[in-house]
Amino acid sequence: MKEIDSLDWLMENAGPIIRWRTANELAPEILPFQRASLAGELLAAPLVQEWLGRLSLENFPAPLDSLDARALGWLGGKVHGSKAECLENVLGKLSEFGLRAGMAELDARMLPLMRIFRWRMDWQSDVAYQNAWETLVKSVFAWGLLRMGYLPDEPMKAWLLSHLQVCHKIARDRVYDIYADEADLVGLPKAWRGKPILKQEVMANYWLPYIHDLYVFANLPAALLDDSRRQMIRDLVEYILDPRFQALREGYGYAWIKERRTCYGWGWSPHLKDDATLVQRLELMAHFPRARQSPWFQESLQALEGFRTPEGRCRFPVRYLREAEGYYVSGNGMGLGENRRKLLNVEVESTFRMLKIQTYA
């Protein structure tokens, strides 16, 4: 089936979310009045309104541009977690729905998030723990804003470029030996013995890249990308694609925070596997030219080709399109409003996903 036929078929058979995304992202010739009509149908959809209602920091006790450690802890609990109400999952879902900057109802909820980049705390104690929380929250807000088309203001630009430098360091130095040996574990609490504990030196000198960081760099505005920054992103992608990185423990392991006398999981590593994250990770990695050239990407795309229907459309196993409560970056919340009990609708979602991945090729 030709791409143009697939687009027509999607417009005839899909619900409002996929119709909007098909027209807005895959059919640039769409007329303005058609775009406006489809956007109206999208925003009127009950599912979209339900998720928009979850995008809120109402009654949060501190301004985002003047947090302290306690307020950061509160904010971290609202942003990070597996519940549908956690903002990392809300931002992922609204991005999947194709909501865009300029939609008034979205702008009113998204633009206040940018204030967090005006805040920079110089932590004097508990540094590793607090820096991790600050970076996680800022990176989630950053990719949420960027994916939905918001252009960064000057404080956000400064954070994005600084964070790229921070993330690039481990790729520049090609650090794959990240686990502590016995000599480094003297005094480790008994409860954590036998666990994969990260080297103190690595924790002090490098940032282990999160999957969230890749979402940030996949969506950086072209105006921020000179040759040097493109090369840094390429280096980071090559570092992650390296078999030595992919052989690391998923989620990295545990950071021993001596100030707190305990260990914390230091997860959200960008591992690439044939599991529920496959289609989601292919869509993400398709943004990076170096990733598209990789054996992993080519082999994974070829595997998805095996799910073509006789008509040339796609019907993926539903495990690749998981719609369940859980961490968005773990492959949850992939549903686009279609009734999964009907094979036709699985075909609609799968065909759209395949066309979207192929737009980057």
Side-chain angles (χ1 to χ4, degrees), residues 141-339:
F141 281 12
W143 65 248
L145 286 158
L146 294 174
R147 282 187 75 184
M148 286 185 265
Y150 290 93
L151 295 177
D153 62 9
E154 289 305 317
M156 184 175 171
K157 285 180 187 176
W159 183 85
L160 290 169
L161 298 181
S162 173
H163 190 53
L164 177 56
Q165 293 275 1
V166 168
C167 290
H168 177 253
K169 187 178 178 182
I170 199 167
R172 179 199 67 197
D173 294 349
R174 296 286 172 174
V175 177
Y176 299 101
D177 182 11
I178 68 172
Y179 297 109
D181 56 30
E182 288 301 317
D184 296 324
L185 297 178
V186 175
L188 180 73
K190 290 182 180 180
W192 303 100
R193 290 178 184 171
K195 305 279 189 183
I197 306 297
L198 299 167
K199 284 185 174 182
Q200 294 287 312
E201 178 186 3
V202 170
M203 297 300 301
N205 294 294
Y206 297 101
W207 178 257
L208 293 167
Y210 288 164
I211 187 65
H212 299 286
D213 300 322
L214 286 187
Y215 274 108
V216 172
F217 302 137
N219 291 281
L220 283 181
L224 294 184
L225 292 174
D226 59 18
D227 289 344
S228 173
R229 292 165 189 156
R230 285 191 177 89
Q231 185 59 51
M232 282 193 283
I233 293 173
R234 181 184 175 91
D235 291 344
L236 184 59
V237 171
E238 287 183 343
Y239 172 75
I240 289 164
L241 289 169
D242 192 292
R244 290 170 292 179
F245 179 91
Q246 292 298 316
L248 298 175
R249 182 184 186 274
E250 185 174 6
Y252 295 120
Y254 297 89
W256 178 15
I257 308 298
K258 293 186 178 182
E259 291 172 291
R260 290 179 164 251
R261 300 179 181 179
T262 190
C263 296
Y264 292 89
W266 219 251
W268 316 114
S269 58
H271 278 76
L272 307 172
K273 304 187 301 177
D274 182 8
D275 62 6
T277 65
L278 179 65
V279 169
Q280 188 186 66
R281 297 278 160 100
L282 275 171
E283 287 189 24
L284 168 61
M285 300 303 285
H287 287 78
F288 303 110
R290 178 63 187 86
R292 296 197 299 269
Q293 299 162 5
S294 70
W296 168 81
F297 189 92
Q298 294 298 324
E299 291 166 8
S300 298
L301 193 59
Q302 188 60 40
L304 292 186
E305 288 286 352
F307 300 110
R308 290 280 183 189
T309 67
E311 296 78 20
R313 298 186 285 270
C314 293
R315 189 185 301 137
F316 301 152
V318 292
R319 68 179 183 274
Y320 290 150
L321 304 170
R322 188 165 61 191
E323 177 56 28
E325 184 173 78
Y327 291 99
Y328 168 71
V329 293
S330 295
N332 294 292
M334 292 290 285
L336 297 175
E338 303 293 326
N339 182 352

